[in-house]
Amino acid sequence: QVHLVESGGGLVQAGGSLTLSCAASGNFFSLNGMNWHRQVPGKQRVLVAGISRSGKTTYVDSVKGRFTITGDFAKNTVFLRMDNLKPEDTAVYYCDVETLDSYGDYVGDYWGQGTQVTVSS
């Protein structure tokens, strides 16, 4: 079992900032990557940002320049700093980690329970 604990969501005015955090624990050897996704009712969950063990980061175009993902692979923790938030960033944000076994082989992805981010105009 892999357990993810997310925190940092909340209500913020447009232009404000929030930082989400996600800590993974449980039965895995290491992580290959850590990601943040978001979902609004009636729409598909989309990848917002990701970071690999090598430090490579990716962002969806709509958040480039405003969001920053960082990760501590020694502590199995990932953060998403969100600046200049917009009402369209309102969503439930989910953390996702890619686990590896002791041979470095991919085992599976595990998801957090989600944290609500609401940006008021």
Side-chain angles (χ1 to χ4, degrees), residues 93-107:
Y93 285 71
Y94 296 90
C95 170
D96 148 49
V97 298
E98 305 160 17
T99 62
L100 304 177
D101 63 16
S102 59
Y103 297 98
D105 294 329
Y106 173 75
V107 175

Side-chain angles (χ1 to χ4, degrees), residues 50-113:
I51 185 167
S52 70
R53 192 173 190 85
S54 65
K56 180 180 178 181
T57 58
T58 59
Y59 298 93
V60 68
D61 286 345
S62 60
V63 308
K64 286 181 179 177
R66 300 188 298 119
F67 290 11
T68 304
I69 187 170
T70 57
D72 185 338
F73 283 83
K75 295 182 178 180
N76 300 319
T77 304
V78 62
F79 303 92
L80 185 67
R81 168 75 179 187
M82 305 182 292
D83 294 315
N84 190 21
L85 282 160
K86 303 176 180 181
E88 52 264 41
D89 294 318
T90 296
V92 177
Y93 285 71
Y94 296 90
C95 170
D96 148 49
V97 298
E98 305 160 17
T99 62
L100 304 177
D101 63 16
S102 59
Y103 297 98
D105 294 329
Y106 173 75
V107 175
D109 276 62
Y110 294 87
W111 293 80
Q113 78 284 0

Side-chain angles (χ1 to χ4, degrees), residues 4-9 19-23 36 77-81 95 113 115:
L4 280 69
V5 178
E6 301 171 356
S7 61
T19 298
L20 306 181
S21 65
C22 173
W36 287 98
T77 304
V78 62
F79 303 92
L80 185 67
R81 168 75 179 187
C95 170
Q113 78 284 0
T115 185

Side-chain angles (χ1 to χ4, degrees), residues 24-44:
S25 62
N27 189 22
F28 60 90
F29 186 78
S30 63
L31 299 178
N32 183 60
M34 297 184 281
N35 310 291
W36 287 98
H37 305 250
R38 68 187 181 190
Q39 187 171 25
V40 297
K43 293 190 177 181
Q44 287 188 327

